[in-house]
Amino acid sequence: MATSVSDSASIPVDVVVIGGGPGGYVAAIRAAQLGLSTVCVEMDKTLGGTCVNVGCIPSKALLTSSEHYDFAQHAAATHGIGIGSLTLDLPTMLQRKNEVVAQNTRGIEFLFKKNKIMWAKGRGTLKAGNVVDVHAVGATGASHEKIASYQAKDVIIATGSVSIELPFLKFDEKRVLSNIGALAIPQVPKHLIVIGGGVIGLELGSVWKRLGADVTVIELMPTILPGMDADVIKEADRTLRKQGLDIRTSTRVSNGGLTESGAFVEVEHDGKNERLEGDHVLVSVGRRPATTGIDAAALGLNLGKRGEILVDDQMRTNLPHVYAIGDCVPGPMLAHKAEEEGVIAAEVIAGKKSHMHYKSIPNVVYTWPEIASVGLTEQQLKDSGRAYKTGRFPFSANGRARSLGDATGFVKFVADAKTDEILGAHMIGPNVSELIAEVVLGLEYRASADDIGETVHAHPTLSEVTKEAALATLGRALQI
């Protein structure tokens, strides 16, 4: 039984981090490394936040398992491998996913112990004067008695984000699913309806399609993956349709609800109405900043139009000694972006001259083929009026890709027309989530296409496609 704490019993500490997701736990670790006494307040039963528990990590575990299953079904024979009678043990697959998550959460707990970080298990509430109260959280998620209180010299808010609901499709995680429920469907659905053709919708839709479900993806915008490079979108759309995803763009969901055996949605496209029924509906129309435990109005904390906490390039809010990072501040909602912001906040608190910049943050979609991008798209450069040039090279002309039996896609560069400085790179193909790192480093150092094109890449590797695409930007690709 937790013991309640009086208002006068605040424990002095250097830094309190509210939230133990990727941004929060990394901020706590960096602060501790810098010699600051650090407390991380997290109300979930495990550390790691959405990413580790119900996002990045479990989805990648299922993506990998479903890719193996799909390979066994459709590609093993071409390698001379006979599978025989193939079966799917979904409970074992889901259990493996859970074990992968557990390994990661235990790893974070180990890092906290190693760095002498206190994990305050409860819901954190920020009060005036940088006092953070911690309340016990019941089984229903309601706050109970106060179990601790900390007087912080500096506070880092890392409260993350939550999935956006549709007013007529409230999450029950049984039939109407967010990413949480979509990672734990107990049996392969006959028909899964996915609302939203962005990263989450396409990744989780791909998982269940490979495992045998019919999957319909409904996207309001004219294309899937809005905001990405147009050439990549075109290739992704073609490939995912070929894999069997029923993709419906420029389609609006006007209504939805439950049926006796599942759920339905009503959609509009080109003036025509249609009712679709499925076992489950995955609503993946975006996420919004969460500010649990932060009464912005009472504190005088400045927020943006979406409820995001406004910060400068050192992650400072308008409140003295209060910082904010991750999904609850402006910018892309990416775990690696949150981690870097956490490092910046901790270093600024420790007196270092760190600051955050966003031009070199990669974005990855873990469908197969994978999609990765960094920097500006060709359309953004067109709109800006800046003179640019492009170069691309296909995986179909790469020996390693051919030997893998997966030569779909390409690497594309956009560079300044005069200086050859790399302004962006956009990839779709095998393992591009790893290949993008080379270009991210190049952007950090303001590399030119020539810098990458003249760098020796091992042969035969997929990375040679990056080299050849850089050379193509200069008009001198060698292998095509």
Side-chain angles (χ1 to χ4, degrees):
M1 184 75 179
T3 303
S4 62
V5 176
S6 68
D7 288 338
S8 61
S10 297
I11 301 169
V13 65
D14 290 331
V15 178
V16 172
V17 182
I18 304 176
Y25 84 72
V26 168
I29 290 170
R30 186 65 183 127
Q33 287 177 341
L34 292 165
L36 302 170
S37 59
T38 305
V39 173
C40 182
V41 185
E42 174 53 59
M43 62 184 178
D44 289 342
K45 294 179 181 179
T46 56
L47 294 165
T50 293
C51 174
V52 173
N53 289 281
V54 290
C56 320
I57 300 303
S59 66
K60 303 314 164 281
L62 284 184
L63 280 159
T64 299
S65 295
S66 66
E67 285 163 11
H68 289 330
Y69 182 72
D70 186 75
F71 173 84
Q73 270 192 314
H74 301 115
T78 65
H79 292 262
I81 302 171
I83 301 295
S85 180
L86 186 66
T87 61
L88 172 64
D89 184 350
L90 184 59
T92 297
M93 187 179 290
L94 294 175
Q95 180 58 34
R96 177 187 177 275
K97 177 258 298 181
N98 294 338
E99 290 170 357
V100 170
V101 169
Q103 290 167 3
N104 280 269
T105 57
R106 288 195 298 266
I108 300 168
E109 288 188 48
F110 169 78
L111 291 173
F112 270 33
K113 291 175 183 177
K114 176 184 176 183
N115 289 281
K116 298 180 174 58
I117 299 165
M118 168 67 74
W119 174 13
K121 299 180 181 181
R123 176 175 283 117
T125 302
L126 179 60
K127 300 172 70 175
N130 286 3
V131 172
V132 179
D133 289 341
V134 182
H135 291 261
V137 179
T140 63
S143 293
H144 292 294
E145 72 277 5
K146 183 165 68 174
I147 55 176
S149 183
Y150 298 94
Q151 174 64 66
K153 293 179 182 177
D154 293 274
V155 173
I156 300 174
I157 302 170
T159 46
S161 63
V162 293
S163 296
I164 296 172
E165 288 185 315
L166 294 175
F168 44 80
L169 284 170
K170 298 290 186 180
F171 297 129
D172 62 13
E173 304 302 359
K174 294 179 180 178
R175 295 298 181 183
V176 181
L177 313 173
S178 69
N179 57 289
I180 297 172
L183 290 164
I185 301 175
Q187 59 185 28
V188 178
K190 292 180 181 178
H191 185 200
L192 174 66
I193 300 169
V194 178
I195 303 176
V199 177
I200 295 172
L202 294 178
E203 287 185 358
L204 293 178
S206 293
V207 166
W208 293 108
K209 175 59 188 174
R210 292 182 198 129
L211 298 181
D214 289 331
V215 177
T216 302
V217 179
I218 302 166
E219 171 55 52
L220 178 63
M221 301 299 287
T223 71
I224 57 172
L225 300 171
M228 285 202 156
D229 185 82
D231 288 342
V232 167
I233 291 172
K234 182 178 179 181
E235 180 74 359
D237 185 274
R238 183 190 67 81
T239 304
L240 293 172
R241 288 180 191 273
K242 187 177 179 181
Q243 293 173 4
L245 289 172
D246 177 13
I247 297 173
R248 306 188 183 192
T249 54
S250 300
T251 301
R252 187 173 75 89
V253 178
S254 57
N255 195 17
L258 300 178
T259 64
E260 288 186 5
S261 59
F264 76 94
V265 296
E266 295 175 356
V267 300
E268 298 176 4
H269 176 72
D270 284 345
K272 297 179 180 178
N273 298 320
E274 185 179 359
R275 177 185 168 106
L276 302 174
E277 293 191 6
D279 304 86
H280 308 274
V281 175
L282 166 59
V283 180
S284 53
V285 295
R287 299 179 65 86
R288 60 176 175 81
T291 51
T292 304
I294 312 297
D295 188 338
L299 293 167
L301 180 65
N302 287 345
L303 301 181
K305 293 180 180 179
R306 299 184 301 111
E308 72 275 23
I309 300 171
L310 301 179
V311 293
D312 64 14
D313 66 355
Q314 292 188 312
M315 313 319 299
R316 300 178 189 271
T317 71
N318 64 301
L319 302 181
H321 298 283
V322 177
Y323 300 75
I325 62 173
D327 286 4
C328 67
V329 305
M333 292 184 175
L334 299 169
H336 43 281
K337 173 253 197 188
E339 290 179 1
E340 292 305 309
E341 290 175 336
V343 170
I344 298 299
E347 292 185 347
V348 171
I349 288 169
K352 295 184 176 293
K353 295 181 180 180
S354 300
H355 67 277
M356 188 70 192
H357 65 95
Y358 296 95
K359 79 167 189 175
S360 303
I361 294 179
N363 191 14
V364 177
V365 186
Y366 294 89
T367 50
W368 198 264
E370 292 181 337
I371 301 165
S373 66
V374 66
L376 299 174
T377 66
E378 184 174 358
Q379 188 61 50
Q380 287 173 321
L381 287 167
K382 283 181 181 178
D383 293 343
S384 71
R386 183 172 181 174
Y388 70 93
K389 54 188 175 183
T390 68
R392 60 188 268 181
F393 191 87
F395 282 96
S396 60
N398 174 259
R400 180 63 172 158
R402 291 195 198 107
S403 66
L404 288 172
D406 194 344
T408 301
F410 56 85
V411 172
K412 173 182 175 180
F413 278 101
V414 288
D416 186 272
K418 294 182 180 178
T419 67
D420 296 332
E421 180 183 351
I422 297 168
L423 303 176
H426 310 280
M427 308 177 176
I428 178 169
N431 298 339
V432 295
S433 61
E434 307 292 343
L435 299 184
I436 195 69
E438 175 183 8
V439 186
V440 174
L441 182 63
L443 260 68
E444 281 292 305
Y445 285 92
R446 297 192 67 178
S448 67
D450 195 50
D451 290 328
I452 290 181
E454 291 190 355
T455 298
V456 177
H457 291 63
H459 173 79
T461 62
L462 297 173
S463 69
E464 290 176 283
V465 177
T466 308
K467 173 187 174 75
E468 289 286 346
L471 290 173
T473 309
L474 303 169
R476 50 187 177 94
L478 298 169
Q479 302 292 335
I480 197 169

